Amino acid sequence: MERTEWKVGELARQTGLTVRTLHHWEERGLVVPSRRTAAGHRLYDDRDVRRVYEVVALRELGLSLEAVAEVLAPEGDRLEGILSAHLSQVEARLTALRDLRTTLAALVAGLRSARAPGTSDLMGLIDEVSKMTETFNNYFTDEQLAALEARREELGEDTIRATEQEWPGLIAAVQSEMDAGTDPASPRVRALATRWAELLEAFHGGDPGLREGLYRLRDENAEEVLSRGGPTDEQIDYIRRAGAAGV
């Protein structure tokens, strides 16, 4: 039989989240445990686990906590729509996220056949999503992550989404110039290098610590970054030479 209630520490371990995150979501009214023990300990039930997944999925889709609260405010069963949207995003990530894609596809298929996903299924999915961000968090301090969140709020989701969508085309354009044997010092490639630097600055905002963390993350996880559609070492070297030529 599946568990029906979990203490906050147990839920955190099962899902890969932190107790602090669950407490913060409770303070924001996003995931409030269904009941407490006589001693005041939080107890989360199946419905709470579903709510945790909804928050995790919407955050993964790029929504701020304020936007998540707005989406989850109306009554009704939103899980199928959220799972479907999450699946669409995962499909774009291809190889690196294949395991997560398979899990999501199975859950969506189950919902469409009127079979609700089990609590253990949702916990496993939450754990997979949490692991996706673990590597990223290892390269930035809590203060830097808070600065990134503030910058995200400042730029707005539309700007961030547009920036993310521009990267694949820019990387493809760089590769096209490389394939054509174009001198990196040419005006065309230098223009690409300028835009490359602008997109990077949209992330780090000129902060030296954020910039260094970003470069270390890419250098030490090159294969994973590449599998998610990131640039190759050769492309980065080409852009660096183009940037140097423009100095």
Side-chain angles (χ1 to χ4, degrees):
M1 293 181 61
E2 289 191 356
R3 290 280 301 277
T4 57
E5 286 188 326
W6 297 262
K7 292 181 179 179
V8 64
E10 296 172 330
L11 183 60
R13 286 191 297 272
Q14 289 286 335
T15 61
L17 297 170
T18 66
V19 170
R20 184 173 63 178
T21 293
L22 292 172
H23 284 175
H24 181 58
W25 288 357
E26 180 182 355
E27 292 169 0
R28 301 290 293 266
L30 294 173
V31 182
V32 179
S34 295
R35 72 183 189 92
R36 290 177 180 261
T37 66
H41 298 298
R42 298 169 175 83
L43 289 176
Y44 296 81
D45 64 13
D46 293 347
R47 291 171 299 175
D48 301 326
V49 172
R50 174 177 292 222
R51 181 78 168 195
V52 169
Y53 170 71
E54 291 176 342
V55 175
V56 169
L58 290 170
R59 289 288 285 162
E60 182 64 16
L61 289 170
L63 275 67
S64 65
L65 288 180
E66 289 77 9
V68 170
E70 291 180 8
V71 171
L72 298 182
E75 295 297 328
D77 188 356
R78 298 165 299 269
L79 187 56
E80 181 175 353
I82 293 172
L83 283 168
S84 298
H86 200 176
L87 177 59
S88 296
Q89 185 191 64
V90 167
E91 286 176 338
R93 298 186 179 182
L94 300 175
T95 306
L97 300 177
R98 185 177 291 115
D99 290 341
L100 177 57
R101 177 187 177 187
T102 300
T103 304
L104 283 164
L107 291 179
V108 172
L111 282 171
R112 288 175 177 168
S113 63
R115 182 190 68 79
T119 301
S120 60
D121 294 329
L122 290 178
M123 282 186 167
L125 184 57
I126 294 168
D127 187 39
E128 287 186 40
V129 173
S130 299
K131 287 177 180 177
M132 287 168 48
T133 59
E134 184 177 350
T135 299
F136 180 86
N137 291 341
N138 287 337
Y139 289 86
F140 302 97
T141 65
D142 290 342
E143 291 76 13
Q144 289 172 330
L145 291 174
L148 286 174
E149 182 64 24
R151 183 164 179 76
R152 187 182 190 94
E153 295 289 343
E154 177 186 348
L155 292 173
E157 298 301 332
D158 290 342
T159 299
I160 292 171
R161 189 172 298 109
T163 299
E164 292 172 347
Q165 291 173 349
E166 187 176 349
W167 270 113
L170 180 58
I171 292 173
V174 169
Q175 185 61 50
S176 178
E177 298 293 349
M178 292 173 61
D179 293 341
T182 308
D183 187 332
S186 74
R188 192 166 58 246
V189 180
R190 285 164 54 189
L192 292 175
T194 297
R195 186 55 183 158
W196 188 292
E198 290 172 348
L199 292 184
L200 286 178
E201 187 167 355
F203 171 83
H204 57 66
D207 184 293
L210 290 175
R211 182 169 57 243
E212 179 185 354
L214 177 63
Y215 291 162
R216 283 197 304 110
L217 185 153
R218 195 276 162 192
D219 292 341
E220 296 175 13
N221 301 272
E223 289 187 8
E224 182 177 359
V225 171
L226 184 60
S227 69
R228 298 190 184 192
T232 64
D233 290 337
E234 292 77 15
Q235 290 165 346
I236 291 175
D237 179 65
Y238 186 71
I239 282 297
R240 283 175 177 168
R241 285 187 285 139
V247 175

